[in-house]
Amino acid sequence: MNYLEINLLNENDYCSKLYKKIIKDFNYDLVIFVAKGGYSLGKNMALLNDCDFLEVIAERKGNKLKQKIKPLFKLLPKKLTVFIREKELKSGMHSKHSERKIQFNEKAYSRYKDKINNVLIIDDSVDTGNTVNITLNLIRGYFKKANVKFASLNVMKKSNIYPDYYLFEDTIIKGPWSSDSQENELFLKEYYEWHNNLK
């Protein structure tokens, strides 16, 4: 499995590469990111195509233990965090906990309901494809007249669905959205400021 570190400075470069792939055949007019990890990707993709962006919140059942131990990841050596992530992905744990709770801000969405032609959904990585499937069904059901496509920086080969656009396969990506990133607090601060001001 490959490993890649992305920071707030070089994230724009990866977004630009992904954007060039997408815009060849899909001129989206709204971006929806999977929160929280997809926030800065969603913001960048919206800026690149001069459009608005919204979020969809997908919570995996059985994530409580992971949330509790997240702060410890910053204290661990990089080799160990990569090893733990690789074991987690290979364990099939994500497949076992396939149930997702999906929610979105209906008031914010309603402003776009009948005005949007092309929706781009974005997330940082697709592990099993469960979140992708549920999110696609939800967004296609809401924006009935729109074309909806999915993009991601990475997809795991074992996923049950592939994004329409992606840059990497079988790559563990540590980005500002990762709990062990030194930029995680800054990332979360910006995300919550945006989220709390969404009307």
Side-chain angles (χ1 to χ4, degrees):
M1 212 172 272
N2 298 316
Y3 177 77
L4 173 69
E5 285 192 29
I6 293 176
N7 57 47
L8 290 169
L9 289 175
N10 68 14
E11 184 181 4
N12 291 343
D13 297 335
Y14 292 104
C15 285
S16 293
K17 286 177 186 173
L18 187 56
Y19 175 74
K20 284 172 186 170
K21 278 188 158 190
I22 296 165
I23 206 63
K24 283 178 185 174
D25 66 359
F26 191 62
N27 187 20
Y28 56 90
D29 46 5
L30 180 67
V31 175
I32 296 174
F33 68 90
V34 180
K36 303 182 269 280
Y39 165 71
S40 53
L41 299 171
K43 181 182 78 172
N44 281 326
M45 298 310 284
L47 284 170
L48 284 165
N49 216 38
D50 192 26
C51 65
D52 291 339
F53 66 107
L54 297 169
E55 70 179 338
V56 62
I57 300 167
E59 293 175 343
R60 186 186 298 124
K61 197 177 176 183
N63 248 9
K64 287 180 182 172
L65 176 63
K66 193 176 174 184
Q67 294 301 324
K68 285 179 183 175
I69 64 168
K70 266 187 175 183
L72 298 173
F73 271 66
K74 279 187 186 170
L75 307 172
L76 299 174
K78 183 171 93 173
K79 278 187 179 179
L80 185 55
T81 59
V82 173
F83 174 78
I84 291 169
R85 282 185 177 173
E86 198 167 337
K87 285 289 179 194
E88 178 192 356
L89 289 165
K90 287 181 177 176
S91 71
M93 183 183 80
H94 291 208
S95 297
K96 287 173 196 163
H97 300 293
S98 61
E99 204 175 304
R100 303 290 190 274
K101 182 183 173 187
I102 303 279
Q103 50 190 322
F104 62 95
N105 183 328
E106 193 152 354
K107 189 178 176 186
Y109 271 54
S110 66
R111 291 197 294 269
Y112 302 93
K113 191 164 188 177
D114 297 315
K115 300 173 185 170
I116 295 300
N117 296 312
N118 297 311
V119 179
L120 178 71
I121 303 171
I122 190 157
D123 200 4
D124 58 313
S125 187
V126 177
D127 298 335
T128 62
N130 294 325
T131 300
V132 178
N133 279 316
I134 295 167
T135 304
L136 280 171
N137 287 337
L138 174 82
I139 301 306
R140 284 178 177 149
Y142 190 84
F143 295 101
K144 288 183 168 60
K145 296 176 184 174
N147 296 314
V148 181
K149 295 202 175 183
F150 201 100
S152 181
L153 291 178
N154 174 66
V155 60
M156 294 298 177
K157 287 179 183 173
K158 65 179 182 179
S159 172
N160 59 41
I161 186 171
Y162 260 56
D164 298 288
Y165 312 97
Y166 59 93
L167 293 180
F168 306 101
E169 283 183 310
D170 278 350
T171 300
I172 294 171
I173 297 179
K174 175 182 169 181
W177 52 85
S178 306
S179 54
D180 55 329
S181 167
Q182 297 303 315
E183 297 176 319
N184 187 243
E185 282 180 30
L186 185 63
F187 170 85
L188 289 175
K189 181 176 181 286
E190 188 181 324
Y191 164 73
Y192 281 116
E193 280 175 6
W194 175 85
H195 173 83
N196 293 334
N197 286 318
L198 191 63
K199 294 185 171 77

